[in-house]
């Protein structure tokens, strides 16, 4: 079978894990609203396989149901990447592909990009050029390799071009369009669920946060899988909670390790409000009303900057430096003292003011649709000659 896609073939759009959904929702809307419409095929790899949470996200973000679910499930990085590749290639055989569009930096992103590149199908990477400089992070490896084999690289900040240029990627493949995560935030902020309602529905008294609260999320293996690090972080958060109630939306992996490492007693205090993982609209509501957010999430660094909420990032590096340089984000690492000092500063002064970076305006997906349509038409006209 020929690997050259017909003009009538769809742009295959790939999602695999929760952050992908927030990035893909505005892209699919922009493609559907573009004139002419850009036909798409939405493929869910099943890398993130919490059925209830998936259903909630698709409903909250008004995403169309996936056309195809590869149902890959969990596994090591190698197993998961290989399984996505095995199951994704027959999708191209059956449906063709005008291009394959991937977002972010999860295993599904790299796996589907590899399949497309080897079939000589254009690879489009949204959120290109972000670098932490830490190759120990599997996401960093996924970012670097996906960018190398992509034909079009859409960036969220201008500095990403410098990273890509250093890696030998031609500037004409790179296009600064803004941040589709912020498109989703802008589109959904009015629908956000207020914090007091979230607490009430979880069985907590909303009066506990009437004088303010902070939000905590933590899920990265380097933070939650190492007993010494998790002990230090939970101890620091426990101290912060003495001055400000902390709403802790707890990842299952984090909860399991807190119990395994004997730290659960630190959370059994009036300062902690422990919740299960929250839906997107709930998290936006929690962040919007918070005095401070403490996290190791990349996406929340961006969202807090857009919301103007001070963020302390419990990591030694970030692939989103613009949130520190222009936004409300402060890197505190995993030092208990740095976390305590950072929180004390925010509570005393209100924290960094920051501003929304360039083109974080809610229109990034429309810019992608316009550019991609023009690029594909030029490419297909040239191939037809």
């Amino acid at each position: 079978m020929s690997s050259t896609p017909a003009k009538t073939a769809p742009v295959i759009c790939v999602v695999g894990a929760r952050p992908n959904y927030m990035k893909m929702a505005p892209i699919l809307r922009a493609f559907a609203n573009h004139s002419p419409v850009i036909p798409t095929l939405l493929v869910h790899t099943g890398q993130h396989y919490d059925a209830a949470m998936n259903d909630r996200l698709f409903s909250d973000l008004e995403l169309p149901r996936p056309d195809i679910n590869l149902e890959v499930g969990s596994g090591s990085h190698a197993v998961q990447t290989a399984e996505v590749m095995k199951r994704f290639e027959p999708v191209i055989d059956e449906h063709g592909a005008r291009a394959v569009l991937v977002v972010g930096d999860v295993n599904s992103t790299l796996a589907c990009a590899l399949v497309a590149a080897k079939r000589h199908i254009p690879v489009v990477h949204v959120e290109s050029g972000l670098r932490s400089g830490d190759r120990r992070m599997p996401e960093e490896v996924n970012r670097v390799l996906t960018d190398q084999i992509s034909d079009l690289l859409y960036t969220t900040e201008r500095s990403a071009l410098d990273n890509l240029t250093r890696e030998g990627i031609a500037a004409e493949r790179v296009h600064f369009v803004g941040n589709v995560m912020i498109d989703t935030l802008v589109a959904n902020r009015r629908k956000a669920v207020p914090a007091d309602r979230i607490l009430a529905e979880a069985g907590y008294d909303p009066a506990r946060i009437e004088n303010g609260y902070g939000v905590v999320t933590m899920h990265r293996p380097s933070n939650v899988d190492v007993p010494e690090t998790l002990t230090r972080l939970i101890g620091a958060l426990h101290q912060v909670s003495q001055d400000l109630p902390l709403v802790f939306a707890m990842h299952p992996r984090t909860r399991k390790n807190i119990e395994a490492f004997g730290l659960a007693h630190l959370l059994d205090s009036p300062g902690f409000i422990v919740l299960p993982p929250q839906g997107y609209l709930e998290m936006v509501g929690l962040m919007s009303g918070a005095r401070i957010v403490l996290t190791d999430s990349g996406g929340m660094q961006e969202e807090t900057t857009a919301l103007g909420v001070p963020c302390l990032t419990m990591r030694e590096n970030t692939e989103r430096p613009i949130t520190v340089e222009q936004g409300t984000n402060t890197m505190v690492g995993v030092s208990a003292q740095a976390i305590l000092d950072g929180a004390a500063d925010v509570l005393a002064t209100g924290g960094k003011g920051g501003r929304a970076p360039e083109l974080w305006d809610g229109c990034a997906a429309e810019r992608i649709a316009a550019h991609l349509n023009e690029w594909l038409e030029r490419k297909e006209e040239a191939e037809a000659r």
Side-chain angles (χ1 to χ4, degrees):
M1 176 178 287
S2 171
S3 61
T4 303
K7 187 169 182 177
T8 56
V11 173
I12 297 182
C13 298
V14 177
V15 294
R18 283 190 66 188
N20 294 167
Y21 311 153
M22 281 80 95
K23 296 163 190 172
M24 193 61 75
I27 294 170
L28 292 172
R29 278 195 297 272
F31 285 4
N33 293 332
H34 188 269
S35 182
V37 169
I38 302 173
T40 60
L41 184 79
L42 180 59
V43 174
H44 183 355
T45 67
Q47 177 180 330
H48 181 276
Y49 53 93
D50 182 330
M53 190 61 76
N54 280 0
D55 289 343
R56 181 77 168 276
L57 276 165
F58 276 86
S59 173
D60 286 351
L61 300 177
E62 299 179 1
L63 267 169
R65 305 306 301 173
D67 298 296
I68 295 170
N69 190 329
L70 302 182
E71 299 181 346
V72 167
S74 61
S76 70
H77 288 283
V79 167
Q80 198 171 64
T81 302
E83 198 62 39
V84 172
M85 293 179 72
K86 283 169 58 180
R87 299 189 189 195
F88 182 62
E89 186 166 41
V91 173
I92 292 176
D93 289 338
E94 181 176 355
H95 298 277
R98 198 176 180 198
V100 170
L101 186 147
V102 295
V103 296
D105 52 24
V106 299
N107 290 337
S108 298
T109 301
L110 175 59
C112 293
L114 277 168
V115 172
K118 292 190 175 188
R119 297 289 296 267
H120 309 294
I121 294 167
V123 177
V124 181
H125 186 202
V126 175
E127 200 183 72
S128 293
L130 298 181
R131 299 290 182 268
S132 68
D134 185 357
R135 293 285 181 97
R136 295 171 299 176
M137 295 176 62
E139 297 90 347
E140 183 80 351
V141 175
N142 290 342
R143 291 179 203 118
V144 171
L145 296 179
T146 302
D147 284 342
Q148 283 293 328
I149 58 176
S150 292
D151 298 270
L152 286 180
L153 299 93
Y154 292 121
T155 61
T156 61
E157 54 188 81
R158 290 193 184 276
S159 65
L161 176 59
D162 297 331
N163 296 331
L164 296 168
T165 300
R166 280 193 297 272
E167 294 169 9
I169 292 171
E172 57 264 26
R173 290 161 56 193
V174 182
H175 304 275
F176 172 47
V177 293
N179 193 332
V180 291
M181 278 280 282
I182 306 308
D183 290 14
T184 293
L185 184 65
V186 169
N188 290 281
R189 189 172 181 183
R190 290 184 179 179
K191 298 190 293 182
V193 182
D196 55 357
R197 183 174 134 197
I198 296 169
L199 264 63
E201 291 179 354
Y204 290 101
D205 182 359
R208 292 178 63 173
I209 61 169
E210 62 185 5
N211 294 318
Y213 65 93
V215 171
V216 177
T217 74
M218 191 163 52
H219 71 281
R220 292 194 177 271
S222 58
N223 279 348
V224 305
D225 289 358
V226 181
E228 297 80 8
T229 303
L230 186 58
T231 299
R232 187 164 60 248
L233 292 174
I234 295 297
L237 293 170
H238 177 79
Q239 287 186 253
V240 173
S241 76
Q242 307 306 301
D243 299 317
L244 182 73
L246 295 180
V247 179
F248 196 158
M250 193 174 293
H251 191 282
R253 180 187 196 129
T254 308
R255 183 184 293 274
K256 178 175 71 73
N257 286 341
I258 284 173
E259 293 172 357
F261 302 157
L263 303 173
H265 67 284
L266 292 174
L267 301 179
D268 187 19
S269 73
F272 277 114
I273 299 167
V274 179
L275 300 176
Q278 297 295 294
Y280 178 74
L281 297 179
E282 285 77 10
M283 284 307 303
V284 172
L286 287 171
M287 287 188 290
S288 297
R291 292 178 62 185
I292 186 173
V293 170
L294 301 103
T295 188
D296 59 11
S297 161
M300 288 176 69
Q301 295 173 48
E302 296 178 330
E303 289 161 335
T304 49
T305 279
L307 292 168
V309 175
C311 177
L312 301 184
T313 297
M314 298 178 290
R315 286 170 49 187
E316 300 297 341
N317 50 56
T318 179
E319 64 282 358
R320 293 163 169 87
I322 200 167
T323 63
V324 177
E325 296 159 4
Q326 299 182 21
T328 58
N329 187 22
T330 300
M331 305 298 297
V332 292
V334 294
S335 159
Q337 193 59 54
I339 293 168
L340 294 173
D341 290 346
D345 178 68
V346 170
L347 296 182
T349 68
K352 294 171 68 174
R355 62 181 176 85
E358 182 183 7
L359 296 189
W360 287 27
D361 56 3
C363 300
E366 283 77 10
R367 287 186 281 268
I368 290 171
H371 181 273
L372 179 59
N373 182 70
E374 182 183 348
W375 185 87
L376 287 171
E377 288 190 344
R378 284 201 314 267
K379 179 177 183 298
E380 288 155 358
E381 286 171 3
E383 290 172 349
R385 292 191 194 113

